[in-house]
PDB file of all heavy atoms in Angstrom:
ATOM      1  N   ALA A  47      17.041   8.467   3.383  1.00 98.00           N
ATOM      2  CA  ALA A  47      15.603   8.377   3.638  1.00 98.00           C
ATOM      3  C   ALA A  47      15.221   6.964   4.050  1.00 98.00           C
ATOM      4  O   ALA A  47      14.394   6.759   4.946  1.00 98.00           O
ATOM      5  CB  ALA A  47      14.821   8.808   2.404  1.00 98.00           C
ATOM      6  N   TYR A  48      15.843   5.980   3.412  1.00 98.00           N
ATOM      7  CA  TYR A  48      15.578   4.591   3.794  1.00 98.00           C
ATOM      8  C   TYR A  48      15.970   4.348   5.243  1.00 98.00           C
ATOM      9  O   TYR A  48      15.335   3.563   5.951  1.00 98.00           O
ATOM     10  CB  TYR A  48      16.343   3.636   2.873  1.00 98.00           C
ATOM     11  CG  TYR A  48      15.910   2.191   3.013  1.00 98.00           C
ATOM     12  CD1 TYR A  48      14.742   1.741   2.416  1.00 98.00           C
ATOM     13  CD2 TYR A  48      16.659   1.285   3.758  1.00 98.00           C
ATOM     14  CE1 TYR A  48      14.328   0.424   2.547  1.00 98.00           C
ATOM     15  CE2 TYR A  48      16.255  -0.038   3.892  1.00 98.00           C
ATOM     16  CZ  TYR A  48      15.086  -0.462   3.291  1.00 98.00           C
ATOM     17  OH  TYR A  48      14.670  -1.763   3.436  1.00 98.00           O
ATOM     18  N   GLY A  49      16.991   5.057   5.711  1.00 97.00           N
ATOM     19  CA  GLY A  49      17.400   4.930   7.096  1.00 97.00           C
ATOM     20  C   GLY A  49      16.321   5.311   8.075  1.00 97.00           C
ATOM     21  O   GLY A  49      16.301   4.823   9.208  1.00 97.00           O
ATOM     22  N   SER A  50      15.401   6.160   7.667  1.00 97.00           N
ATOM     23  CA  SER A  50      14.260   6.527   8.515  1.00 97.00           C
ATOM     24  C   SER A  50      13.082   5.585   8.318  1.00 97.00           C
ATOM     25  O   SER A  50      12.390   5.222   9.270  1.00 97.00           O
ATOM     26  CB  SER A  50      13.836   7.967   8.201  1.00 97.00           C
ATOM     27  OG  SER A  50      12.619   8.294   8.830  1.00 97.00           O
ATOM     28  N   ILE A  51      12.855   5.170   7.067  1.00 98.00           N
ATOM     29  CA  ILE A  51      11.668   4.375   6.742  1.00 98.00           C
ATOM     30  C   ILE A  51      11.819   2.920   7.182  1.00 98.00           C
ATOM     31  O   ILE A  51      10.833   2.258   7.519  1.00 98.00           O
ATOM     32  CB  ILE A  51      11.405   4.444   5.220  1.00 98.00           C
ATOM     33  CG1 ILE A  51      11.130   5.888   4.795  1.00 98.00           C
ATOM     34  CG2 ILE A  51      10.243   3.541   4.810  1.00 98.00           C
ATOM     35  CD1 ILE A  51      11.164   6.111   3.296  1.00 98.00           C
ATOM     36  N   ARG A  52      13.041   2.405   7.259  1.00 97.00           N
ATOM     37  CA  ARG A  52      13.317   0.970   7.356  1.00 97.00           C
ATOM     38  C   ARG A  52      13.011   0.374   8.735  1.00 97.00           C
ATOM     39  O   ARG A  52      13.783  -0.419   9.258  1.00 97.00           O
ATOM     40  CB  ARG A  52      14.786   0.705   7.027  1.00 97.00           C
ATOM     41  CG  ARG A  52      15.744   1.392   7.980  1.00 97.00           C
ATOM     42  CD  ARG A  52      17.200   1.000   7.757  1.00 97.00           C
ATOM     43  NE  ARG A  52      18.048   1.631   8.763  1.00 97.00           N
ATOM     44  CZ  ARG A  52      18.278   1.128   9.960  1.00 97.00           C
ATOM     45  NH1 ARG A  52      17.739  -0.020  10.330  1.00 97.00           N
ATOM     46  NH2 ARG A  52      19.055   1.771  10.819  1.00 97.00           N
ATOM     47  N   MET A  53      11.893   0.699   9.308  1.00 97.00           N
ATOM     48  CA  MET A  53      11.542   0.203  10.632  1.00 97.00           C
ATOM     49  C   MET A  53      10.414  -0.828  10.530  1.00 97.00           C
ATOM     50  O   MET A  53       9.541  -0.722   9.661  1.00 97.00           O
ATOM     51  CB  MET A  53      11.148   1.355  11.544  1.00 97.00           C
ATOM     52  CG  MET A  53      12.232   2.429  11.640  1.00 97.00           C
ATOM     53  SD  MET A  53      13.822   1.752  12.207  1.00 97.00           S
ATOM     54  CE  MET A  53      14.989   2.896  11.503  1.00 97.00           C
ATOM     55  N   GLU A  54      10.420  -1.793  11.424  1.00 98.00           N
ATOM     56  CA  GLU A  54       9.465  -2.888  11.354  1.00 98.00           C
ATOM     57  C   GLU A  54       8.008  -2.423  11.329  1.00 98.00           C
ATOM     58  O   GLU A  54       7.209  -2.959  10.553  1.00 98.00           O
ATOM     59  CB  GLU A  54       9.710  -3.862  12.503  1.00 98.00           C
ATOM     60  CG  GLU A  54      11.038  -4.605  12.418  1.00 98.00           C
ATOM     61  CD  GLU A  54      11.073  -5.634  11.302  1.00 98.00           C
ATOM     62  OE1 GLU A  54      10.344  -6.637  11.384  1.00 98.00           O
ATOM     63  OE2 GLU A  54      11.834  -5.422  10.338  1.00 98.00           O
ATOM     64  N   PRO A  55       7.585  -1.441  12.150  1.00 98.00           N
ATOM     65  CA  PRO A  55       6.182  -0.996  12.044  1.00 98.00           C
ATOM     66  C   PRO A  55       5.850  -0.460  10.655  1.00 98.00           C
ATOM     67  O   PRO A  55       4.744  -0.689  10.148  1.00 98.00           O
ATOM     68  CB  PRO A  55       6.067   0.097  13.106  1.00 98.00           C
ATOM     69  CG  PRO A  55       7.180  -0.162  14.051  1.00 98.00           C
ATOM     70  CD  PRO A  55       8.292  -0.728  13.239  1.00 98.00           C
ATOM     71  N   VAL A  56       6.796   0.263  10.039  1.00 98.00           N
ATOM     72  CA  VAL A  56       6.541   0.837   8.713  1.00 98.00           C
ATOM     73  C   VAL A  56       6.461  -0.266   7.672  1.00 98.00           C
ATOM     74  O   VAL A  56       5.631  -0.213   6.751  1.00 98.00           O
ATOM     75  CB  VAL A  56       7.617   1.871   8.354  1.00 98.00           C
ATOM     76  CG1 VAL A  56       7.346   2.472   6.968  1.00 98.00           C
ATOM     77  CG2 VAL A  56       7.667   2.975   9.398  1.00 98.00           C
ATOM     78  N   PHE A  57       7.303  -1.294   7.795  1.00 98.00           N
ATOM     79  CA  PHE A  57       7.207  -2.413   6.865  1.00 98.00           C
ATOM     80  C   PHE A  57       5.827  -3.069   6.948  1.00 98.00           C
ATOM     81  O   PHE A  57       5.254  -3.468   5.930  1.00 98.00           O
ATOM     82  CB  PHE A  57       8.293  -3.442   7.153  1.00 98.00           C
ATOM     83  CG  PHE A  57       9.683  -2.999   6.778  1.00 98.00           C
ATOM     84  CD1 PHE A  57      10.792  -3.543   7.407  1.00 98.00           C
ATOM     85  CD2 PHE A  57       9.897  -2.047   5.798  1.00 98.00           C
ATOM     86  CE1 PHE A  57      12.080  -3.150   7.065  1.00 98.00           C
ATOM     87  CE2 PHE A  57      11.173  -1.638   5.442  1.00 98.00           C
ATOM     88  CZ  PHE A  57      12.269  -2.200   6.082  1.00 98.00           C
ATOM     89  N   MET A  58       5.269  -3.188   8.144  1.00 98.00           N
ATOM     90  CA  MET A  58       3.918  -3.743   8.279  1.00 98.00           C
ATOM     91  C   MET A  58       2.877  -2.808   7.676  1.00 98.00           C
ATOM     92  O   MET A  58       1.940  -3.248   7.008  1.00 98.00           O
ATOM     93  CB  MET A  58       3.605  -4.020   9.749  1.00 98.00           C
ATOM     94  CG  MET A  58       4.294  -5.240  10.308  1.00 98.00           C
ATOM     95  SD  MET A  58       3.679  -5.690  11.950  1.00 98.00           S
ATOM     96  CE  MET A  58       5.050  -5.166  12.960  1.00 98.00           C
ATOM     97  N   ILE A  59       3.032  -1.515   7.919  1.00 98.00           N
ATOM     98  CA  ILE A  59       2.119  -0.522   7.344  1.00 98.00           C
ATOM     99  C   ILE A  59       2.121  -0.617   5.826  1.00 98.00           C
ATOM    100  O   ILE A  59       1.055  -0.633   5.176  1.00 98.00           O
ATOM    101  CB  ILE A  59       2.519   0.894   7.812  1.00 98.00           C
ATOM    102  CG1 ILE A  59       2.198   1.080   9.302  1.00 98.00           C
ATOM    103  CG2 ILE A  59       1.835   1.970   6.966  1.00 98.00           C
ATOM    104  CD1 ILE A  59       2.833   2.315   9.910  1.00 98.00           C
ATOM    105  N   LEU A  60       3.311  -0.676   5.240  1.00 98.00           N
ATOM    106  CA  LEU A  60       3.418  -0.721   3.779  1.00 98.00           C
ATOM    107  C   LEU A  60       3.016  -2.085   3.225  1.00 98.00           C
ATOM    108  O   LEU A  60       2.509  -2.174   2.102  1.00 98.00           O
ATOM    109  CB  LEU A  60       4.838  -0.363   3.353  1.00 98.00           C
ATOM    110  CG  LEU A  60       5.302   1.053   3.733  1.00 98.00           C
ATOM    111  CD1 LEU A  60       6.723   1.299   3.245  1.00 98.00           C
ATOM    112  CD2 LEU A  60       4.353   2.119   3.192  1.00 98.00           C
ATOM    113  N   GLY A  61       3.223  -3.155   4.010  1.00 98.00           N
ATOM    114  CA  GLY A  61       2.740  -4.465   3.592  1.00 98.00           C
ATOM    115  C   GLY A  61       1.232  -4.500   3.480  1.00 98.00           C
ATOM    116  O   GLY A  61       0.665  -5.055   2.524  1.00 98.00           O
ATOM    117  N   GLN A  62       0.550  -3.892   4.453  1.00 98.00           N
ATOM    118  CA  GLN A  62      -0.907  -3.797   4.385  1.00 98.00           C
ATOM    119  C   GLN A  62      -1.333  -2.988   3.168  1.00 98.00           C
ATOM    120  O   GLN A  62      -2.274  -3.369   2.448  1.00 98.00           O
ATOM    121  CB  GLN A  62      -1.452  -3.142   5.655  1.00 98.00           C
ATOM    122  CG  GLN A  62      -2.970  -2.966   5.648  1.00 98.00           C
ATOM    123  CD  GLN A  62      -3.494  -2.312   6.914  1.00 98.00           C
ATOM    124  OE1 GLN A  62      -2.739  -1.956   7.807  1.00 98.00           O
ATOM    125  NE2 GLN A  62      -4.808  -2.157   7.003  1.00 98.00           N
ATOM    126  N   ALA A  63      -0.649  -1.874   2.913  1.00 98.00           N
ATOM    127  CA  ALA A  63      -0.988  -1.040   1.760  1.00 98.00           C
ATOM    128  C   ALA A  63      -0.767  -1.790   0.451  1.00 98.00           C
ATOM    129  O   ALA A  63      -1.584  -1.692  -0.484  1.00 98.00           O
ATOM    130  CB  ALA A  63      -0.154   0.242   1.785  1.00 98.00           C
ATOM    131  N   ALA A  64       0.324  -2.555   0.380  1.00 98.00           N
ATOM    132  CA  ALA A  64       0.621  -3.301  -0.840  1.00 98.00           C
ATOM    133  C   ALA A  64      -0.470  -4.316  -1.146  1.00 98.00           C
ATOM    134  O   ALA A  64      -0.923  -4.444  -2.299  1.00 98.00           O
ATOM    135  CB  ALA A  64       1.974  -3.994  -0.704  1.00 98.00           C
ATOM    136  N   ALA A  65      -0.906  -5.064  -0.135  1.00 98.00           N
ATOM    137  CA  ALA A  65      -1.943  -6.069  -0.356  1.00 98.00           C
ATOM    138  C   ALA A  65      -3.275  -5.428  -0.710  1.00 98.00           C
ATOM    139  O   ALA A  65      -4.018  -5.946  -1.559  1.00 98.00           O
ATOM    140  CB  ALA A  65      -2.092  -6.939   0.883  1.00 98.00           C
ATOM    141  N   THR A  66      -3.587  -4.315  -0.076  1.00 98.00           N
ATOM    142  CA  THR A  66      -4.842  -3.622  -0.385  1.00 98.00           C
ATOM    143  C   THR A  66      -4.834  -3.142  -1.833  1.00 98.00           C
ATOM    144  O   THR A  66      -5.832  -3.277  -2.554  1.00 98.00           O
ATOM    145  CB  THR A  66      -5.040  -2.441   0.577  1.00 98.00           C
ATOM    146  OG1 THR A  66      -4.985  -2.916   1.928  1.00 98.00           O
ATOM    147  CG2 THR A  66      -6.378  -1.762   0.341  1.00 98.00           C
ATOM    148  N   ALA A  67      -3.698  -2.599  -2.268  1.00 98.00           N
ATOM    149  CA  ALA A  67      -3.583  -2.172  -3.666  1.00 98.00           C
ATOM    150  C   ALA A  67      -3.664  -3.368  -4.606  1.00 98.00           C
ATOM    151  O   ALA A  67      -4.299  -3.295  -5.673  1.00 98.00           O
ATOM    152  CB  ALA A  67      -2.270  -1.425  -3.871  1.00 98.00           C
ATOM    153  N   ALA A  68      -3.057  -4.484  -4.227  1.00 98.00           N
ATOM    154  CA  ALA A  68      -3.110  -5.688  -5.061  1.00 98.00           C
ATOM    155  C   ALA A  68      -4.533  -6.177  -5.231  1.00 98.00           C
ATOM    156  O   ALA A  68      -4.952  -6.586  -6.325  1.00 98.00           O
ATOM    157  CB  ALA A  68      -2.250  -6.785  -4.441  1.00 98.00           C
ATOM    158  N   SER A  69      -5.307  -6.133  -4.155  1.00 98.00           N
ATOM    159  CA  SER A  69      -6.704  -6.556  -4.228  1.00 98.00           C
ATOM    160  C   SER A  69      -7.506  -5.657  -5.163  1.00 98.00           C
ATOM    161  O   SER A  69      -8.315  -6.127  -5.978  1.00 98.00           O
ATOM    162  CB  SER A  69      -7.318  -6.561  -2.834  1.00 98.00           C
ATOM    163  OG  SER A  69      -8.660  -6.987  -2.864  1.00 98.00           O
ATOM    164  N   LEU A  70      -7.290  -4.343  -5.065  1.00 98.00           N
ATOM    165  CA  LEU A  70      -7.988  -3.408  -5.956  1.00 98.00           C
ATOM    166  C   LEU A  70      -7.561  -3.613  -7.406  1.00 98.00           C
ATOM    167  O   LEU A  70      -8.390  -3.526  -8.326  1.00 98.00           O
ATOM    168  CB  LEU A  70      -7.699  -1.970  -5.520  1.00 98.00           C
ATOM    169  CG  LEU A  70      -8.314  -1.531  -4.188  1.00 98.00           C
ATOM    170  CD1 LEU A  70      -7.795  -0.159  -3.777  1.00 98.00           C
ATOM    171  CD2 LEU A  70      -9.840  -1.507  -4.287  1.00 98.00           C
ATOM    172  N   ALA A  71      -6.290  -3.897  -7.621  1.00 98.00           N
ATOM    173  CA  ALA A  71      -5.811  -4.131  -8.985  1.00 98.00           C
ATOM    174  C   ALA A  71      -6.453  -5.378  -9.582  1.00 98.00           C
ATOM    175  O   ALA A  71      -6.856  -5.390 -10.756  1.00 98.00           O
ATOM    176  CB  ALA A  71      -4.294  -4.254  -8.987  1.00 98.00           C
ATOM    177  N   LEU A  72      -6.578  -6.426  -8.773  1.00 98.00           N
ATOM    178  CA  LEU A  72      -7.229  -7.645  -9.254  1.00 98.00           C
ATOM    179  C   LEU A  72      -8.696  -7.393  -9.569  1.00 98.00           C
ATOM    180  O   LEU A  72      -9.221  -7.871 -10.584  1.00 98.00           O
ATOM    181  CB  LEU A  72      -7.094  -8.756  -8.211  1.00 98.00           C
ATOM    182  CG  LEU A  72      -5.706  -9.393  -8.062  1.00 98.00           C
ATOM    183  CD1 LEU A  72      -5.687 -10.323  -6.864  1.00 98.00           C
ATOM    184  CD2 LEU A  72      -5.308 -10.136  -9.336  1.00 98.00           C
ATOM    185  N   ALA A  73      -9.359  -6.641  -8.699  1.00 98.00           N
ATOM    186  CA  ALA A  73     -10.791  -6.375  -8.894  1.00 98.00           C
ATOM    187  C   ALA A  73     -11.043  -5.604 -10.183  1.00 98.00           C
ATOM    188  O   ALA A  73     -12.062  -5.817 -10.858  1.00 98.00           O
ATOM    189  CB  ALA A  73     -11.345  -5.603  -7.695  1.00 98.00           C
ATOM    190  N   GLY A  74     -10.122  -4.707 -10.525  1.00 97.00           N
ATOM    191  CA  GLY A  74     -10.310  -3.894 -11.719  1.00 97.00           C
ATOM    192  C   GLY A  74      -9.520  -4.350 -12.916  1.00 97.00           C
ATOM    193  O   GLY A  74      -9.521  -3.664 -13.950  1.00 97.00           O
ATOM    194  N   ASN A  75      -8.829  -5.491 -12.785  1.00 97.00           N
ATOM    195  CA  ASN A  75      -7.960  -5.989 -13.859  1.00 97.00           C
ATOM    196  C   ASN A  75      -6.990  -4.896 -14.290  1.00 97.00           C
ATOM    197  O   ASN A  75      -6.822  -4.597 -15.475  1.00 97.00           O
ATOM    198  CB  ASN A  75      -8.778  -6.480 -15.047  1.00 97.00           C
ATOM    199  CG  ASN A  75      -7.944  -7.290 -16.038  1.00 97.00           C
ATOM    200  OD1 ASN A  75      -6.936  -7.894 -15.653  1.00 97.00           O
ATOM    201  ND2 ASN A  75      -8.341  -7.286 -17.300  1.00 97.00           N
ATOM    202  N   LEU A  76      -6.326  -4.305 -13.295  1.00 98.00           N
ATOM    203  CA  LEU A  76      -5.471  -3.152 -13.523  1.00 98.00           C
ATOM    204  C   LEU A  76      -4.015  -3.479 -13.223  1.00 98.00           C
ATOM    205  O   LEU A  76      -3.711  -4.390 -12.455  1.00 98.00           O
ATOM    206  CB  LEU A  76      -5.898  -1.993 -12.609  1.00 98.00           C
ATOM    207  CG  LEU A  76      -7.320  -1.471 -12.732  1.00 98.00           C
ATOM    208  CD1 LEU A  76      -7.609  -0.515 -11.575  1.00 98.00           C
ATOM    209  CD2 LEU A  76      -7.512  -0.756 -14.065  1.00 98.00           C
ATOM    210  N   ALA A  77      -3.135  -2.688 -13.801  1.00 98.00           N
ATOM    211  CA  ALA A  77      -1.755  -2.660 -13.320  1.00 98.00           C
ATOM    212  C   ALA A  77      -1.746  -1.994 -11.952  1.00 98.00           C
ATOM    213  O   ALA A  77      -2.588  -1.125 -11.667  1.00 98.00           O
ATOM    214  CB  ALA A  77      -0.880  -1.872 -14.291  1.00 98.00           C
ATOM    215  N   VAL A  78      -0.805  -2.379 -11.097  1.00 98.00           N
ATOM    216  CA  VAL A  78      -0.778  -1.762  -9.764  1.00 98.00           C
ATOM    217  C   VAL A  78      -0.543  -0.259  -9.863  1.00 98.00           C
ATOM    218  O   VAL A  78      -0.994   0.505  -9.004  1.00 98.00           O
ATOM    219  CB  VAL A  78       0.292  -2.418  -8.875  1.00 98.00           C
ATOM    220  CG1 VAL A  78      -0.076  -3.851  -8.553  1.00 98.00           C
ATOM    221  CG2 VAL A  78       1.691  -2.347  -9.509  1.00 98.00           C
ATOM    222  N   GLN A  79       0.119   0.182 -10.927  1.00 98.00           N
ATOM    223  CA  GLN A  79       0.364   1.612 -11.104  1.00 98.00           C
ATOM    224  C   GLN A  79      -0.913   2.372 -11.451  1.00 98.00           C
ATOM    225  O   GLN A  79      -0.968   3.594 -11.293  1.00 98.00           O
ATOM    226  CB  GLN A  79       1.406   1.835 -12.200  1.00 98.00           C
ATOM    227  CG  GLN A  79       2.787   1.291 -11.885  1.00 98.00           C
ATOM    228  CD  GLN A  79       2.928  -0.199 -12.162  1.00 98.00           C
ATOM    229  OE1 GLN A  79       1.991  -0.855 -12.636  1.00 98.00           O
ATOM    230  NE2 GLN A  79       4.106  -0.757 -11.891  1.00 98.00           N
ATOM    231  N   ALA A  80      -1.951   1.657 -11.914  1.00 98.00           N
ATOM    232  CA  ALA A  80      -3.198   2.311 -12.334  1.00 98.00           C
ATOM    233  C   ALA A  80      -4.274   2.277 -11.255  1.00 98.00           C
ATOM    234  O   ALA A  80      -5.389   2.759 -11.481  1.00 98.00           O
ATOM    235  CB  ALA A  80      -3.723   1.643 -13.608  1.00 98.00           C
ATOM    236  N   VAL A  81      -3.970   1.721 -10.099  1.00 98.00           N
ATOM    237  CA  VAL A  81      -4.949   1.668  -9.011  1.00 98.00           C
ATOM    238  C   VAL A  81      -5.320   3.088  -8.597  1.00 98.00           C
ATOM    239  O   VAL A  81      -4.462   3.976  -8.495  1.00 98.00           O
ATOM    240  CB  VAL A  81      -4.373   0.886  -7.814  1.00 98.00           C
ATOM    241  CG1 VAL A  81      -5.204   1.097  -6.562  1.00 98.00           C
ATOM    242  CG2 VAL A  81      -4.275  -0.595  -8.154  1.00 98.00           C
ATOM    243  N   SER A  82      -6.603   3.311  -8.348  1.00 96.00           N
ATOM    244  CA  SER A  82      -7.069   4.620  -7.898  1.00 96.00           C
ATOM    245  C   SER A  82      -6.531   4.893  -6.497  1.00 96.00           C
ATOM    246  O   SER A  82      -6.861   4.179  -5.542  1.00 96.00           O
ATOM    247  CB  SER A  82      -8.593   4.654  -7.874  1.00 96.00           C
ATOM    248  OG  SER A  82      -9.067   5.764  -7.127  1.00 96.00           O
ATOM    249  N   VAL A  83      -5.708   5.925  -6.374  1.00 96.00           N
ATOM    250  CA  VAL A  83      -5.140   6.251  -5.065  1.00 96.00           C
ATOM    251  C   VAL A  83      -6.229   6.662  -4.078  1.00 96.00           C
ATOM    252  O   VAL A  83      -6.211   6.222  -2.924  1.00 96.00           O
ATOM    253  CB  VAL A  83      -4.058   7.333  -5.199  1.00 96.00           C
ATOM    254  CG1 VAL A  83      -3.644   7.870  -3.827  1.00 96.00           C
ATOM    255  CG2 VAL A  83      -2.841   6.768  -5.932  1.00 96.00           C
ATOM    256  N   PRO A  84      -7.211   7.496  -4.458  1.00 94.00           N
ATOM    257  CA  PRO A  84      -8.285   7.798  -3.498  1.00 94.00           C
ATOM    258  C   PRO A  84      -9.019   6.553  -3.018  1.00 94.00           C
ATOM    259  O   PRO A  84      -9.355   6.442  -1.826  1.00 94.00           O
ATOM    260  CB  PRO A  84      -9.203   8.735  -4.286  1.00 94.00           C
ATOM    261  CG  PRO A  84      -8.306   9.389  -5.280  1.00 94.00           C
ATOM    262  CD  PRO A  84      -7.331   8.330  -5.682  1.00 94.00           C
ATOM    263  N   ALA A  85      -9.276   5.605  -3.919  1.00 96.00           N
ATOM    264  CA  ALA A  85      -9.947   4.371  -3.502  1.00 96.00           C
ATOM    265  C   ALA A  85      -9.060   3.562  -2.563  1.00 96.00           C
ATOM    266  O   ALA A  85      -9.526   2.985  -1.572  1.00 96.00           O
ATOM    267  CB  ALA A  85     -10.326   3.544  -4.724  1.00 96.00           C
ATOM    268  N   LEU A  86      -7.774   3.511  -2.876  1.00 96.00           N
ATOM    269  CA  LEU A  86      -6.826   2.802  -2.018  1.00 96.00           C
ATOM    270  C   LEU A  86      -6.768   3.452  -0.639  1.00 96.00           C
ATOM    271  O   LEU A  86      -6.838   2.764   0.398  1.00 96.00           O
ATOM    272  CB  LEU A  86      -5.451   2.803  -2.674  1.00 96.00           C
ATOM    273  CG  LEU A  86      -4.272   2.283  -1.841  1.00 96.00           C
ATOM    274  CD1 LEU A  86      -4.509   0.845  -1.405  1.00 96.00           C
ATOM    275  CD2 LEU A  86      -2.965   2.416  -2.629  1.00 96.00           C
ATOM    276  N   GLN A  87      -6.658   4.759  -0.604  1.00 95.00           N
ATOM    277  CA  GLN A  87      -6.583   5.461   0.680  1.00 95.00           C
ATOM    278  C   GLN A  87      -7.869   5.295   1.483  1.00 95.00           C
ATOM    279  O   GLN A  87      -7.821   5.126   2.710  1.00 95.00           O
ATOM    280  CB  GLN A  87      -6.278   6.936   0.447  1.00 95.00           C
ATOM    281  CG  GLN A  87      -4.877   7.190  -0.099  1.00 95.00           C
ATOM    282  CD  GLN A  87      -4.646   8.635  -0.472  1.00 95.00           C
ATOM    283  OE1 GLN A  87      -5.570   9.352  -0.887  1.00 95.00           O
ATOM    284  NE2 GLN A  87      -3.400   9.091  -0.352  1.00 95.00           N
ATOM    285  N   ALA A  88      -9.003   5.315   0.804  1.00 93.00           N
ATOM    286  CA  ALA A  88     -10.273   5.138   1.507  1.00 93.00           C
ATOM    287  C   ALA A  88     -10.345   3.781   2.181  1.00 93.00           C
ATOM    288  O   ALA A  88     -10.793   3.654   3.331  1.00 93.00           O
ATOM    289  CB  ALA A  88     -11.437   5.325   0.539  1.00 93.00           C
ATOM    290  N   ARG A  89      -9.908   2.747   1.472  1.00 94.00           N
ATOM    291  CA  ARG A  89      -9.947   1.406   2.063  1.00 94.00           C
ATOM    292  C   ARG A  89      -8.945   1.283   3.216  1.00 94.00           C
ATOM    293  O   ARG A  89      -9.238   0.664   4.248  1.00 94.00           O
ATOM    294  CB  ARG A  89      -9.653   0.357   1.000  1.00 94.00           C
ATOM    295  CG  ARG A  89      -9.681  -1.068   1.533  1.00 94.00           C
ATOM    296  CD  ARG A  89     -11.071  -1.478   1.997  1.00 94.00           C
ATOM    297  NE  ARG A  89     -11.052  -2.421   3.079  1.00 94.00           N
ATOM    298  CZ  ARG A  89     -11.986  -3.361   3.254  1.00 94.00           C
ATOM    299  NH1 ARG A  89     -12.997  -3.465   2.390  1.00 94.00           N
ATOM    300  NH2 ARG A  89     -11.920  -4.170   4.295  1.00 94.00           N
ATOM    301  N   LEU A  90      -7.785   1.880   3.052  1.00 94.00           N
ATOM    302  CA  LEU A  90      -6.795   1.839   4.121  1.00 94.00           C
ATOM    303  C   LEU A  90      -7.309   2.547   5.370  1.00 94.00           C
ATOM    304  O   LEU A  90      -7.142   2.046   6.495  1.00 94.00           O
ATOM    305  CB  LEU A  90      -5.479   2.461   3.650  1.00 94.00           C
ATOM    306  CG  LEU A  90      -4.677   1.649   2.629  1.00 94.00           C
ATOM    307  CD1 LEU A  90      -3.506   2.463   2.092  1.00 94.00           C
ATOM    308  CD2 LEU A  90      -4.172   0.345   3.248  1.00 94.00           C
ATOM    309  N   ARG A  91      -7.932   3.704   5.186  1.00 92.00           N
ATOM    310  CA  ARG A  91      -8.500   4.396   6.350  1.00 92.00           C
ATOM    311  C   ARG A  91      -9.590   3.552   7.002  1.00 92.00           C
ATOM    312  O   ARG A  91      -9.693   3.496   8.236  1.00 92.00           O
ATOM    313  CB  ARG A  91      -9.067   5.751   5.923  1.00 92.00           C
ATOM    314  CG  ARG A  91      -8.020   6.782   5.523  1.00 92.00           C
ATOM    315  CD  ARG A  91      -8.643   8.155   5.343  1.00 92.00           C
ATOM    316  NE  ARG A  91      -7.675   9.110   4.803  1.00 92.00           N
ATOM    317  CZ  ARG A  91      -7.575   9.426   3.519  1.00 92.00           C
ATOM    318  NH1 ARG A  91      -8.400   8.860   2.634  1.00 92.00           N
ATOM    319  NH2 ARG A  91      -6.672  10.290   3.116  1.00 92.00           N
TER     320      ARG A  91
END
């Protein structure tokens, strides 16, 4: 599966998602695992 995912555009896509989740975690004083996925997806969209 990594053989399919490991492409530079996807790394940028996931890098953006990681930072967006980090920002939400900081705002809510949360663990990254506790970030609201709907809120994360809404911001990404």
